[in-house]
Amino acid sequence: MPISGACPDTLKRPANRPIAQKISRRNVLAGAGAFGISVALAGVSRLAVAADAAGAGPLAQVRGGDAAPSLWIAIEENGTVRITCHRAEMGQQAWTAMAQIVADELEADWKDVEIVQAEGDAKYGDQNTDGSRSVRFNLHRLRIAGAAMRGMLEQAAADAWGIDAADCRAELGYVTNSRDRRTMSFGALATAAAELPLPDEDAVKLKPRHDWRYMGKPVRSLTAPKIIRGEGTYGIDVDRPNMVYAVIAHPPQLFGKAARVNDVAALDVPGVLKTVRLPDMEPPAAFKPLGGVAVIAKDTWAAIQGRNALEIDWEDGPNAGYDTEAFIDGLAANVKEPGLVKNDRGNVTTALAAAKTKVVAEYVTPHYAHSAIEPVCATAEWQGDKVVCWACVQDGQTTRNTISQLLGIPLENITVHTTWLGGAFGRKSKPDFVLEAVLLAKEMGQPVKVTWTREDDLRHDFFHMPSAQHFEAGLDEDGTCTAFLHRAAFPSITTTFVPGFDQMSDGELSQGVLDNPFDVPNFRTESGTAKGHVRIGWLRSVCNTFLAFGVQSFAAELAHAAGRDQKDYLLDLVGAPRIVDPATDGAKYDNYGADPEEYPIDTERLRHVIERAAKMARWGRRMRKGRGLGIAAHRSFLTYVATVIEVAVDEDGKLEIPGIWLAADAGTVVNPRHAKDQFEGGTLFGLSNALYGEMTAKNGAMVQGNFPDWRVMRMAEAPKSMEIEIVESDAPPAGAGEPGTPPAAPALANAIFDATGLRIRKLPIFGAQEDLLPLNDPQNG
């Protein structure tokens, strides 16, 4: 399949030109023998499993999807239990959590458990590893799969012994005969179990919570030891015979085009083989490749040097005039005017006019980049009319579907292997870079690895949207809030898929606008308008990040205006324990796709984490000069989180964070150790962006390209102490990877005000080269 718009064949480098020897980081870490592509990608052998057909049978339609044991479990004769994980592993310990669920119900011995990474395939159901949904979507069906397999092994043992299955008990990889204490291993029973019919779901016996062996316990990671030993496979580690390497010069502007290309100097770089013109991108952007000119070489370094030598005249696209400073000023002006009413309670206009005190504030935030430690990369190889891909993607199934839809390749001819991901935060659920590899491999007739440099990754991201928010509140003589108005405007993610779209979706507004739990009698929210000029995509905690910053910062402003304590006033705003239904105020609230009967907005749980975090931080203690405490709380991805941050600011404005205390109620938690890690990481992610995160555009092109100008929090700047408490709960499972992020920025801003009187209304707090707070300014926004 030729590439549309590709340049004619160009001169190839003479074979006698020297190229640098490739040095693998895996060889450095552990020696060549430890390179473990089979650990992450290969299938399993000598399987003896239940021989049901995935997608059919009595367990095909359980809650969450197909629970057929053969889809998830493979038992070898030696007792090894291989569990398939259909979610991507990117450091959040999906492998371990999925294995804990299955192994617990199966009664496997943890030392016998190994993980197999699933390919992208519809038979697994939803594979999109974002939205903090892996456990929420899969806890029930994976428990059913493990318990069904356990029951079948017990039945196989009962048949072998000629006794009733009720007299057989599976435990730690063996089935024991309760009559005479004889045992048979899972490996010895697997073949017989495979011949048994699957039970109906109501016949599957799930273990009671008090008998859980692995779930709810801090089980050790299945991936961390492999990472330390240099095992496992990341996207950049994939190596195929006869593979070549590609680096792409993308248009600086979205929908820009190469008007003229001179590749003579590029082709003279040692190791460069060819240049290829990729198809120009046409709206909508969606997950399409950006276009541009690819340089193909014998190694990545040569490809980078070849790209540097290209001479390209870029033709401006429709976003040539995009300037982020002017755009954000426009957003701020937009939210000062009445917008589209989204929910309405009482009469805000009348209550504001009658208020003893009126408080008004605006908050603005910039574009953020995902900035994962591993820039995106992908390898593709055509095998006849079939293509096989290896890529660090969050959703192998969507990647496969996108390749089919955009490139016209039959779905059955596409295989996508998901490697480990060196971080993602939402970027790697967009497979544009994989399509680039597929196109180039077809053009070259051999495997091609596409590598994005850090500059590519930052300047051509699916950026987090900038935002502006306007708040007005009325307080009575006692300082009680009687009226609350919230307007927000930002370019929607929908702009990436629908040209000209300028509204905010209800799903986006459900992340801090429509679901505001404040018990204020007169309450209204409105949305403004904004168009997109770069690719907008979801980033860790999505709109919760900036919406919580606005709402929770303004709550602290109201406390100050009322002469009240931050924490006490926040609890008063939340109100008495109750269930909040945004629909009663006319909101079209999506509740993260969950049933509100099962996952209601429960202010009792929100109040509990606020009170718990405050107690952990010893809220109310006397603070030394230059020290302050800030608190913020937010429900996101069905999880309730409250964060208290302590700051220390010296006379010059140097900021330190001595401590952070966070309480989280995420319902049923499969692994509390790893959940704590996620809340720590989410908090640091939020702090880094609040302090320094800002991507700016001039003439439609992103300015920042690497860490000197896209600054992230350094180790010395991290909190000196972090204490995380996971509330024990038997409520349904909720998210862990993202809910720690939203309260971080407002808690930090509120602490800075408490310490200095400086009100933070504009993020980031610092520029890339700044380190001191502007203590002489009454506010920064």
Side-chain angles (χ1 to χ4, degrees), residues 189-314:
L189 290 166
T191 299
E195 298 175 358
L196 296 174
L198 280 178
D200 292 330
E201 182 180 359
D202 58 7
V204 176
K205 296 179 181 179
L206 296 175
K207 295 166 66 173
R209 186 178 289 259
H210 60 76
D211 284 343
W212 286 0
R213 184 183 299 278
Y214 305 126
M215 290 184 287
K217 308 296 194 301
V219 174
R220 67 176 178 84
S221 168
L222 288 172
T223 57
K226 298 180 188 298
I227 293 171
I228 293 170
R229 294 194 298 264
E231 299 172 359
T233 303
Y234 289 91
I236 202 65
D237 295 324
V238 174
D239 194 9
R240 302 296 299 164
N242 197 34
M243 185 172 72
V244 292
Y245 301 80
V247 172
I248 301 166
H250 296 108
Q253 303 167 1
L254 182 63
F255 304 124
K257 300 176 181 179
R260 185 189 68 87
V261 179
N262 183 344
D263 61 2
V264 172
L267 290 167
D268 201 41
V269 172
V272 170
L273 302 171
K274 187 177 181 179
T275 66
V276 178
R277 176 82 172 266
L278 288 166
D280 295 328
M281 177 191 273
E282 300 292 341
F287 298 151
K288 299 173 186 173
L290 285 165
V293 181
V295 176
I296 315 295
K298 294 181 179 179
D299 58 68
T300 302
W301 180 250
I304 292 172
Q305 298 308 305
R307 182 178 67 174
N308 292 342
L310 285 173
E311 296 179 11
I312 304 177
D313 292 335
W314 296 106

Side-chain angles (χ1 to χ4, degrees), residues 626-647:
R627 295 227 173 186
L629 290 175
I631 191 168
H634 189 69
R635 175 186 183 266
S636 67
F637 302 94
L638 311 174
T639 290
Y640 303 80
V641 178
T643 301
V644 174
I645 294 181
E646 180 179 352
V647 301

Side-chain angles (χ1 to χ4, degrees), residues 83 85 89 92-103 110 113 115 135 214-215 217-225 670-671 674:
I83 297 172
C85 180
E89 176 57 60
Q92 87 284 29
Q93 303 300 326
W95 271 24
T96 305
M98 299 298 103
Q100 281 180 258
I101 298 167
V102 175
W110 191 250
V113 172
I115 285 287
V135 172
Y214 305 126
M215 290 184 287
K217 308 296 194 301
V219 174
R220 67 176 178 84
S221 168
L222 288 172
T223 57
V670 168
N671 192 311
H674 297 151

Side-chain angles (χ1 to χ4, degrees), residues 335-528:
V335 295
K336 290 181 180 179
E337 302 298 327
L340 179 65
V341 175
K342 304 303 293 188
N343 50 1
D344 201 7
R345 179 167 70 241
N347 191 316
V348 167
T349 302
T350 300
L352 284 172
K356 174 70 174 178
T357 303
K358 184 176 179 180
V359 183
V360 179
E362 281 91 30
Y363 300 85
V364 296
T365 61
H367 281 297
Y368 298 136
H370 293 83
S371 187
I373 192 171
E374 171 202 37
V376 298
C377 53
T379 300
E381 177 179 339
W382 283 85
Q383 299 170 359
D385 62 351
K386 295 179 171 59
V387 64
V388 183
C389 306
W390 296 261
C392 51
V393 290
Q394 291 175 247
D395 185 355
Q397 191 179 143
T398 291
T399 300
R400 186 173 177 232
N401 293 339
T402 303
I403 293 170
S404 177
Q405 292 163 7
L406 294 184
L407 302 184
I409 304 168
L411 192 62
E412 62 271 17
N413 288 0
I414 304 166
T415 300
V416 175
H417 295 290
T418 300
T419 65
W420 280 358
L421 286 65
F425 313 124
R427 169 60 180 99
K428 293 170 184 174
S429 57
K430 297 98 172 170
D432 54 317
F433 57 100
V434 187
L435 275 74
E436 292 176 334
V438 172
L439 288 169
L440 293 172
K442 187 67 172 179
E443 178 74 8
M444 294 300 295
Q446 61 191 117
V448 173
K449 178 188 287 185
V450 168
T451 299
W452 284 35
T453 63
R454 177 63 62 193
E455 289 78 6
D456 298 328
D457 207 48
L458 285 175
R459 290 181 175 144
H460 302 290
D461 199 2
F462 285 76
F463 299 97
H464 194 252
M465 62 281 280
S467 72
Q469 299 175 77
H470 174 88
F471 292 88
E472 298 179 20
L475 310 183
D476 66 13
E477 293 83 357
D478 298 325
T480 300
C481 184
T482 58
F484 192 99
L485 171 67
H486 181 191
R487 294 193 194 111
F490 51 87
S492 170
I493 292 168
T494 307
T495 62
T496 300
F497 303 91
V498 181
F501 188 81
D502 65 356
Q503 302 295 312
M504 283 97 252
S505 73
D506 289 326
E508 291 165 322
L509 294 170
S510 293
Q511 299 176 16
V513 175
L514 306 182
D515 54 342
N516 187 318
F518 291 173
D519 191 10
V520 179
N522 303 285
F523 180 89
R524 186 166 76 234
T525 66
E526 301 172 3
S527 63

